[in-house]
Amino acid sequence: MRPYQISVCGDSAINIVVADTISAEASALVRSAAARIQAAGIAGIEDIVPTFCAVMVAYNPETISYEELVSAAHANLDGLSAEGASAGKTIVIPVCYGGEFGPDLEHVAQFHGITPDEVVRLHTEPTYLIAMLGFLPGFAYLSGLNPDLETPRLEVPRVRIEAGAVGIGGAQTGIYPLPSPGGWQIIGRSPLRPYDAEREPAFLYAAGDSIEFEAISPDEYAEIEAALQAGTYKYREKEAM
């Protein structure tokens, strides 16, 4: 029995579904499947999009038919396993928590009956796996939030959340890469930008990479912001274990 299923996704895409629940293993299977399809160089494929539990493959029906694409996918996914996933990098994201940078930090602390410092400690402890990107360019859906920090979204979303804002929405945490409306509880902000069209590469990370948050002071925030503007900031990466 194959460890995946292929289904129709509109008139010019297929979904390769590898799991029905979000997990680190599902993410590894998704990355492995995406890498195999990418490496196959199948004519007519226009885009490969990894998601939580599936890979969407968009194609040109004038170049390759649905049946031909499915046959090619089966041929290249034989023996698919999580071990085939490439190891991603870990990006260190500095965050200034609370105050003007994190207007909802106090609320999150009160909601859980802990101190703001404890919220920061719990938020910076894990290494978060990037399960997928979506919603906005560079918006990372992260797995690994401590259950003790799970907090409902705002009842009334904000009209504007600043780029770099770090928030909690239910069982997830993430970084807003661009100014946007949003309903997540904002507990801090990073001077880094996950997405910058003028930067090479434009994205700081990809699905399968990981993120570690690091608490910084307002003065350190200003220093990093100045270094970014001057083009002298050194992004910090850790090799995957």
Side-chain angles (χ1 to χ4, degrees):
M1 183 177 178
R2 296 187 178 105
Y4 62 89
Q5 294 180 331
I6 295 179
S7 60
V8 175
C9 184
D11 60 359
S12 58
I14 63 172
N15 263 339
I16 302 170
V17 182
V18 301
D20 56 9
T21 56
I22 300 171
S23 68
E25 182 178 5
S27 177
L29 281 168
V30 165
R31 300 197 309 276
S32 181
R36 287 192 180 204
I37 298 298
Q38 182 72 52
I42 301 168
I45 289 181
E46 297 187 334
D47 201 4
I48 299 172
V49 183
T51 63
F52 281 124
C53 298
V55 181
M56 189 193 77
V57 181
Y59 65 97
N60 184 343
E62 295 183 355
T63 304
I64 187 171
S65 69
Y66 167 80
E67 292 78 12
E68 289 171 332
L69 179 56
V70 170
S71 177
H74 283 317
N76 286 281
L77 296 175
D78 184 47
L80 179 69
S81 70
E83 285 72 27
S86 59
K89 60 183 179 291
T90 299
I91 307 293
V92 178
I93 304 292
V95 178
C96 188
Y97 289 90
E100 63 177 300
F101 298 105
D104 298 318
L105 179 64
E106 292 282 350
H107 169 74
V108 172
Q110 291 174 6
F111 182 85
H112 294 286
I114 57 179
T115 66
D117 285 346
E118 184 69 1
V119 172
V120 174
R121 184 187 69 80
L122 293 174
H123 192 257
T124 55
E125 275 186 346
T127 296
Y128 298 92
L129 174 67
I130 301 174
M132 63 174 283
L133 300 180
F135 168 54
L136 292 169
F139 188 97
Y141 287 89
L142 306 177
S143 61
L145 180 68
N146 190 312
D148 291 341
L149 290 182
E150 294 181 10
T151 312
R153 291 166 171 77
L154 299 174
E155 291 186 6
V156 179
R158 290 185 172 91
V159 173
R160 179 185 172 95
I161 292 176
E162 297 300 327
V166 175
I168 293 174
Q172 291 187 310
T173 186
I175 313 167
Y176 283 80
L178 298 168
S180 166
W184 288 28
Q185 305 279 353
I186 304 304
I187 60 173
R189 191 192 309 164
S190 174
L192 305 191
R193 298 295 176 263
Y195 170 76
D196 183 347
E198 304 299 321
R199 183 181 60 210
E200 181 58 40
F203 296 94
L204 280 185
Y205 39 63
D209 290 339
S210 297
I211 283 176
E212 290 183 2
F213 293 112
E214 178 183 72
I216 59 172
S217 67
D219 286 344
E220 290 171 316
Y221 183 103
E223 290 172 3
I224 293 172
E225 196 169 47
L228 286 166
Q229 292 175 355
T232 59
Y233 182 77
K234 303 297 182 182
Y235 294 93
R236 294 165 55 197
E237 295 183 10
K238 296 181 178 180
E239 292 297 326
M241 300 298 291

